[in-house]
Amino acid sequence: MGLVALVAAALVGFWELYHWVWVSTGWTWPFVVNDTSMPHVWTIYNAFGEPAQVNQPALINVLLHKAAFTAKEAAAGFGLGAVIGFVLAVVLAHVRLLQRGFLPYIVGSQTVPILAIAPMVVLWVNPRLPGSLQGWGAVAVIATYLTFFPVTINTLRGLQSADPRALELMRTYAASRWAVLWKLRVPASLPYLFSALRLAATASVVGAIIGELPTGLQDGLGGAIINFNQYYSIEPQELWATNVIAAALGIAFFVIVVLAEKAFVRRAPEETA
Amino acid sequence: MSEVTATPAVVRVEGVTKTFPRGYVTALENIELEIAPREFVSLIGPSGCGKSTLLRVIGDLIEPTAGTVRVNGKSARQARRDGDYGIVFQEAVLYDWRSIAKNIALPLEMLGWSRQRRRERVAEMLDLVELTSFADHHPWQLSGGMQQRVAIARALSFEPSLLLMDEPFGALDEMTRERLNLELLSIWEQTGNSVVFVTHSISEAVFLSSRVVVMSPRPGRIAGVVEIDLPHPRTVDTREASRFFELVTEVRELLRMRGEHLLPEEEAVLE
């Protein structure tokens, strides 16, 4: 923890040092440094406490509100993506033919830019959603699309990572496929699953933010980013402040997954493995 | 243990031949073997003599090309499904994510035992292999010898009539191996299983067994059988008895006689 704080302090120091050197020497490579291209850290910090527009609460309150909205989308997308990704991996692990037929398409699905399919997802998903899910539900589906992929790929590897001798042992117990799955393959895959969930945690936040852009939703961080982008030349610190919150949200998701992994996965310490 | 003298052979191997499709080697050729209740039978021979293959055929982990295997009067497949045997491999093959107690309970879970019954049996088994204080440890916290004791406890937890052991102490150092030999004998005397024990070590085979089956390679055949008439209980002193050395010599000569066409590295294994 101390080390993380130290690095944060060093980054802030580097940012300000870079700003100071480029401004005082007048260097313009690779870009012109001024208070617009690189606002001071304290300007960004102060921006949190001030309202972005008149008659509005402080920016931090607005952003936290929007972050909560985006977190809801990301969490739903993460949960849905993790379940779909896991089930897909289990099916593919058991049916070789499906694995050979479908895996290329699953990989292919991730090469399509999310921005290109988001409008279709909104069009397809929104009409079928109940009122309480309207709008953000479609964004959650977009986050799902980014989340399921690493979970499927890694879990598939994990399910196939079970020790062949352990599988033979299960055979001596005349274990059913179901028992082999839950007592051997799934536990053996957990380290793989969790490293995928760590990727998926940040991907779901990115997916939710990007998903908000084409849907035109104003309630989340994506809407805030679009909005503050337009005022960047006047008040750059507001976009930077939004980025800080977005990053913090991604980190929070990541940390939750790491803590869950610590609680669930018992394995040999790395140094003895 | 109840009276078992009238029951039929625990294992009956008749005319078993195994050829591997890709191989030029006949792993087993026309093997005949019968194992009585409470018998401790070792299979010994150089690499490639098919001793592990024979063990796997008995356990229905591979199918013979020809011949039949009966375990407790049933087909090997039915016997496997009925949980008639427990197996111990060269490696303990414990599940890292389970505690020692949970590892021993694994086959019991598969058989649908109640939690209460599982707990009682696991406690008995831990007591049997003297690992009670390690119940809540995880496998990586135990030495190789202790891990193998857990594997034995797991194999015996559901009271199979037959225990199959495939070089169970092969990866352990000599001192640990000899101590575990003594422990295995004491466990065998308490539980009354039949044991099929695959090994490379002549002294281990002689020390443990009621009968030593000597095998020769290419094709895998039974070269001879040595009855071990050393008295029970066997102790550290057994290894120093003159009869022990006579029997070791007898097994070694059977291996030599049939091993004239062995490769040099296989010869080395026998020493």
Side-chain angles (χ1 to χ4, degrees):
Chain A
M1 253 355 236
L3 194 67
V4 174
L6 201 70
V7 170
L11 283 174
V12 167
F14 178 75
W15 175 275
E16 288 300 330
L17 185 70
Y18 187 98
H19 189 283
W20 181 78
V21 170
W22 259 252
V23 167
S24 49
T25 56
W27 287 340
T28 58
W29 190 92
F31 59 87
V32 179
V33 171
N34 54 37
D35 286 355
T36 304
S37 63
M38 285 181 78
H40 287 292
V41 172
W42 51 86
T43 316
I44 298 168
Y45 178 79
N46 288 337
F48 282 120
E50 294 156 11
Q53 288 165 35
V54 281
N55 298 330
Q56 267 196 354
L59 183 62
I60 182 74
N61 291 348
V62 174
L63 286 179
L64 286 180
H65 219 77
K66 289 181 186 294
F69 185 83
T70 300
K72 182 171 72 172
E73 296 163 339
F78 177 80
L80 206 58
V83 170
I84 291 173
F86 182 83
V87 171
L88 205 56
V90 169
V91 171
L92 293 182
H94 282 87
V95 192
R96 271 289 147 94
L97 205 65
L98 280 185
Q99 193 182 133
R100 286 193 5 224
F102 271 91
L103 211 52
Y105 291 99
I106 289 172
V107 174
S109 74
Q110 301 300 304
T111 64
V112 181
I114 195 79
L115 272 174
I117 53 165
M120 279 87 90
V121 172
V122 174
L123 221 62
W124 295 337
V125 172
N126 252 343
R128 295 273 158 267
L129 290 176
S132 59
L133 293 179
Q134 276 292 335
W136 74 272
V139 179
V141 171
I142 293 166
T144 304
Y145 189 83
L146 283 187
T147 304
F148 91 94
F149 178 71
V151 175
T152 296
I153 298 295
N154 266 24
T155 306
L156 189 56
R157 272 195 71 184
L159 292 172
Q160 289 166 343
S161 76
D163 186 340
R165 296 162 310 173
L167 286 165
E168 195 165 48
L169 186 71
M170 290 305 241
R171 188 175 150 81
T172 71
Y173 301 143
S176 64
R177 275 185 144 203
W178 190 249
V180 173
L181 177 67
W182 289 107
K183 293 197 186 295
L184 175 58
R185 288 192 188 276
V186 168
S189 77
L190 283 186
Y192 292 81
L193 173 64
F194 271 98
S195 73
L197 290 181
R198 271 180 273 170
L199 289 175
T202 47
S204 68
V205 173
V206 172
I209 289 174
I210 293 180
E212 286 171 4
L213 305 183
T215 51
L217 270 179
Q218 286 302 307
D219 308 305
L221 289 174
I225 286 169
I226 289 279
N227 188 28
F228 291 135
N229 229 335
Q230 289 162 0
Y231 300 103
Y232 187 82
S233 54
I234 313 164
E235 287 172 316
Q237 67 274 19
E238 283 166 0
L239 184 63
W240 280 103
T242 311
N243 291 349
V244 169
I245 295 297
L249 184 60
I251 292 166
F253 267 61
F254 185 86
V255 168
I256 289 169
V257 171
V258 170
L259 292 178
E261 181 174 11
K262 284 226 169 87
F264 284 116
V265 183
R266 292 304 303 264
R267 57 174 155 173
E270 301 295 339
E271 55 270 24
T272 62
Chain B
M1 273 282 131
S2 57
E3 268 305 302
V4 284
T5 42
T7 56
V10 174
V11 178
R12 194 189 300 270
V13 178
E14 284 174 340
V16 161
T17 296
K18 175 71 190 174
T19 49
F20 287 103
R22 257 186 302 166
Y24 33 88
V25 189
T26 303
L28 294 172
E29 191 177 78
N30 204 19
I31 300 288
E32 302 278 339
L33 181 66
E34 207 164 286
I35 296 168
R38 297 216 49 135
E39 226 188 338
F40 196 124
V41 174
S42 287
L43 308 178
I44 191 167
S47 309
C49 73
K51 55 192 188 300
S52 282
T53 306
L54 179 54
L55 181 108
R56 273 151 201 273
V57 169
I58 294 170
D60 188 42
L61 294 175
I62 45 182
E63 272 185 73
T65 314
T68 57
V69 176
R70 312 288 292 175
V71 177
N72 291 329
K74 299 175 274 193
S75 70
R77 172 141 309 165
Q78 193 56 45
R80 175 170 63 81
R81 291 192 176 145
D82 291 351
D84 280 10
Y85 74 83
I87 197 161
V88 179
F89 299 111
Q90 183 166 1
E91 292 88 7
V93 196
L94 302 177
Y95 293 1
D96 262 355
W97 53 87
R98 284 172 172 253
S99 67
I100 297 309
K102 286 268 177 70
N103 264 289
I104 295 172
L106 177 71
L108 308 179
E109 287 173 22
M110 226 76 79
L111 291 167
W113 286 31
S114 72
R115 187 179 295 263
Q116 179 60 29
R117 222 174 133 209
R118 288 202 307 257
R119 193 178 306 137
E120 286 165 11
R121 174 54 55 80
V122 166
E124 286 171 36
M125 298 316 294
L126 283 168
D127 190 45
L128 182 71
V129 297
E130 293 168 15
L131 286 173
T132 302
S133 56
F134 293 91
D136 297 324
H137 284 58
H138 279 258
W140 67 84
Q141 297 168 308
L142 270 61
S143 70
M146 288 159 101
Q147 290 186 14
Q148 209 52 289
R149 273 148 67 193
V150 177
I152 293 170
R154 181 182 58 190
L156 293 174
S157 61
F158 51 100
E159 296 191 318
S161 55
L162 177 64
L163 180 60
L164 302 178
M165 307 184 87
D166 192 359
E167 296 187 49
F169 310 134
L172 304 175
D173 64 83
E174 190 75 17
M175 306 255 289
T176 311
R177 174 190 280 231
E178 288 191 1
R179 207 183 56 243
L180 285 180
N181 282 171
L182 278 168
E183 282 182 26
L184 177 60
L185 274 185
S186 117
I187 289 168
W188 173 65
E189 273 156 17
Q190 287 174 65
T191 57
N193 298 87
S194 303
V195 183
V196 182
F197 189 96
V198 169
T199 180
H200 265 126
S201 161
I202 299 171
S203 65
E204 184 175 63
V206 170
F207 180 72
L208 291 172
S209 308
S210 356
R211 247 187 325 154
V212 174
V213 174
V214 179
M215 297 182 69
S216 64
R218 279 184 296 275
R221 282 187 183 140
I222 293 177
V225 178
V226 181
E227 296 283 341
I228 307 298
D229 50 9
L230 294 166
H232 284 278
R234 294 177 190 168
T235 64
V236 275
D237 297 328
T238 307
R239 287 183 196 276
E240 286 157 20
S242 58
R243 183 67 188 139
F244 178 79
F245 289 111
E246 285 169 30
L247 288 164
V248 164
T249 307
E250 197 177 327
V251 171
R252 180 172 287 132
E253 278 173 0
L254 259 175
L255 283 163
R256 278 268 162 72
M257 204 164 61
R258 295 298 176 142
E260 279 155 9
H261 53 292
L262 292 188
L263 304 171
E265 68 268 23
E266 290 173 341
E267 187 77 35
V269 166
L270 301 180
E271 298 306 319

PDB file of all heavy atoms in Angstrom, chain B residues 224-235:
ATOM      1  N   GLY B 224       8.232 -65.916 -13.348  1.00  0.00           N
ATOM      2  CA  GLY B 224       8.208 -66.850 -12.238  1.00  0.00           C
ATOM      3  C   GLY B 224       7.559 -66.217 -11.030  1.00  0.00           C
ATOM      4  O   GLY B 224       7.362 -64.999 -10.983  1.00  0.00           O
ATOM      5  N   VAL B 225       7.183 -67.046 -10.071  1.00  0.00           N
ATOM      6  CA  VAL B 225       6.533 -66.550  -8.867  1.00  0.00           C
ATOM      7  C   VAL B 225       7.307 -67.070  -7.660  1.00  0.00           C
ATOM      8  O   VAL B 225       7.632 -68.255  -7.594  1.00  0.00           O
ATOM      9  CB  VAL B 225       5.064 -67.014  -8.798  1.00  0.00           C
ATOM     10  CG1 VAL B 225       4.411 -66.538  -7.509  1.00  0.00           C
ATOM     11  CG2 VAL B 225       4.284 -66.524 -10.012  1.00  0.00           C
ATOM     12  N   VAL B 226       7.624 -66.180  -6.727  1.00  0.00           N
ATOM     13  CA  VAL B 226       8.353 -66.577  -5.520  1.00  0.00           C
ATOM     14  C   VAL B 226       7.426 -66.420  -4.320  1.00  0.00           C
ATOM     15  O   VAL B 226       6.910 -65.322  -4.065  1.00  0.00           O
ATOM     16  CB  VAL B 226       9.619 -65.714  -5.336  1.00  0.00           C
ATOM     17  CG1 VAL B 226      10.383 -66.145  -4.079  1.00  0.00           C
ATOM     18  CG2 VAL B 226      10.522 -65.813  -6.568  1.00  0.00           C
ATOM     19  N   GLU B 227       7.186 -67.525  -3.609  1.00  0.00           N
ATOM     20  CA  GLU B 227       6.396 -67.456  -2.381  1.00  0.00           C
ATOM     21  C   GLU B 227       7.284 -66.893  -1.276  1.00  0.00           C
ATOM     22  O   GLU B 227       8.408 -67.361  -1.077  1.00  0.00           O
ATOM     23  CB  GLU B 227       5.936 -68.865  -1.968  1.00  0.00           C
ATOM     24  CG  GLU B 227       4.998 -69.527  -2.952  1.00  0.00           C
ATOM     25  CD  GLU B 227       3.570 -68.988  -2.866  1.00  0.00           C
ATOM     26  OE1 GLU B 227       3.220 -68.385  -1.828  1.00  0.00           O
ATOM     27  OE2 GLU B 227       2.825 -69.148  -3.844  1.00  0.00           O
ATOM     28  N   ILE B 228       6.799 -65.883  -0.569  1.00  0.00           N
ATOM     29  CA  ILE B 228       7.609 -65.295   0.496  1.00  0.00           C
ATOM     30  C   ILE B 228       7.105 -65.854   1.825  1.00  0.00           C
ATOM     31  O   ILE B 228       6.012 -65.514   2.280  1.00  0.00           O
ATOM     32  CB  ILE B 228       7.495 -63.757   0.483  1.00  0.00           C
ATOM     33  CG1 ILE B 228       7.806 -63.201  -0.909  1.00  0.00           C
ATOM     34  CG2 ILE B 228       8.410 -63.150   1.540  1.00  0.00           C
ATOM     35  CD1 ILE B 228       9.201 -63.456  -1.422  1.00  0.00           C
ATOM     36  N   ASP B 229       7.930 -66.702   2.433  1.00  0.00           N
ATOM     37  CA  ASP B 229       7.478 -67.364   3.657  1.00  0.00           C
ATOM     38  C   ASP B 229       8.048 -66.711   4.919  1.00  0.00           C
ATOM     39  O   ASP B 229       8.145 -67.345   5.965  1.00  0.00           O
ATOM     40  CB  ASP B 229       7.832 -68.854   3.606  1.00  0.00           C
ATOM     41  CG  ASP B 229       9.296 -69.078   3.240  1.00  0.00           C
ATOM     42  OD1 ASP B 229      10.045 -68.068   3.207  1.00  0.00           O
ATOM     43  OD2 ASP B 229       9.681 -70.226   2.983  1.00  0.00           O
ATOM     44  N   LEU B 230       8.434 -65.454   4.812  1.00  0.00           N
ATOM     45  CA  LEU B 230       8.923 -64.747   6.006  1.00  0.00           C
ATOM     46  C   LEU B 230       7.773 -64.601   6.999  1.00  0.00           C
ATOM     47  O   LEU B 230       6.641 -64.317   6.597  1.00  0.00           O
ATOM     48  CB  LEU B 230       9.445 -63.360   5.622  1.00  0.00           C
ATOM     49  CG  LEU B 230      10.684 -63.332   4.727  1.00  0.00           C
ATOM     50  CD1 LEU B 230      10.879 -61.930   4.166  1.00  0.00           C
ATOM     51  CD2 LEU B 230      11.915 -63.770   5.510  1.00  0.00           C
ATOM     52  N   PRO B 231       8.051 -64.806   8.288  1.00  0.00           N
ATOM     53  CA  PRO B 231       6.969 -64.736   9.275  1.00  0.00           C
ATOM     54  C   PRO B 231       6.454 -63.311   9.481  1.00  0.00           C
ATOM     55  O   PRO B 231       7.147 -62.335   9.208  1.00  0.00           O
ATOM     56  CB  PRO B 231       7.636 -65.262  10.554  1.00  0.00           C
ATOM     57  CG  PRO B 231       9.085 -64.984  10.371  1.00  0.00           C
ATOM     58  CD  PRO B 231       9.363 -65.077   8.902  1.00  0.00           C
ATOM     59  N   HIS B 232       5.205 -63.233   9.933  1.00  0.00           N
ATOM     60  CA  HIS B 232       4.612 -61.950  10.311  1.00  0.00           C
ATOM     61  C   HIS B 232       4.561 -61.872  11.817  1.00  0.00           C
ATOM     62  O   HIS B 232       4.453 -62.884  12.473  1.00  0.00           O
ATOM     63  CB  HIS B 232       3.198 -61.837   9.733  1.00  0.00           C
ATOM     64  CG  HIS B 232       3.194 -61.532   8.269  1.00  0.00           C
ATOM     65  ND1 HIS B 232       3.342 -60.262   7.766  1.00  0.00           N
ATOM     66  CD2 HIS B 232       3.078 -62.340   7.193  1.00  0.00           C
ATOM     67  CE1 HIS B 232       3.304 -60.296   6.446  1.00  0.00           C
ATOM     68  NE2 HIS B 232       3.143 -61.560   6.065  1.00  0.00           N
ATOM     69  N   PRO B 233       4.559 -60.724  12.461  1.00  0.00           N
ATOM     70  CA  PRO B 233       4.738 -59.426  11.815  1.00  0.00           C
ATOM     71  C   PRO B 233       6.189 -59.199  11.390  1.00  0.00           C
ATOM     72  O   PRO B 233       7.102 -59.633  12.093  1.00  0.00           O
ATOM     73  CB  PRO B 233       4.333 -58.441  12.918  1.00  0.00           C
ATOM     74  CG  PRO B 233       4.614 -59.159  14.190  1.00  0.00           C
ATOM     75  CD  PRO B 233       4.415 -60.615  13.912  1.00  0.00           C
ATOM     76  N   ARG B 234       6.342 -58.539  10.274  1.00  0.00           N
ATOM     77  CA  ARG B 234       7.698 -58.246   9.803  1.00  0.00           C
ATOM     78  C   ARG B 234       8.168 -56.927  10.405  1.00  0.00           C
ATOM     79  O   ARG B 234       7.396 -55.990  10.540  1.00  0.00           O
ATOM     80  CB  ARG B 234       7.711 -58.192   8.270  1.00  0.00           C
ATOM     81  CG  ARG B 234       7.406 -59.580   7.695  1.00  0.00           C
ATOM     82  CD  ARG B 234       7.320 -59.593   6.203  1.00  0.00           C
ATOM     83  NE  ARG B 234       6.802 -60.903   5.762  1.00  0.00           N
ATOM     84  CZ  ARG B 234       6.397 -61.162   4.534  1.00  0.00           C
ATOM     85  NH1 ARG B 234       6.458 -60.223   3.600  1.00  0.00           N
ATOM     86  NH2 ARG B 234       5.952 -62.358   4.217  1.00  0.00           N
ATOM     87  N   THR B 235       9.432 -56.902  10.770  1.00  0.00           N
ATOM     88  CA  THR B 235       9.986 -55.725  11.449  1.00  0.00           C
ATOM     89  C   THR B 235      11.282 -55.313  10.760  1.00  0.00           C
ATOM     90  O   THR B 235      11.660 -55.897   9.748  1.00  0.00           O
ATOM     91  CB  THR B 235      10.310 -56.050  12.924  1.00  0.00           C
ATOM     92  OG1 THR B 235      11.344 -57.055  12.918  1.00  0.00           O
ATOM     93  CG2 THR B 235       9.108 -56.567  13.669  1.00  0.00           C
TER      94      THR B 235
END
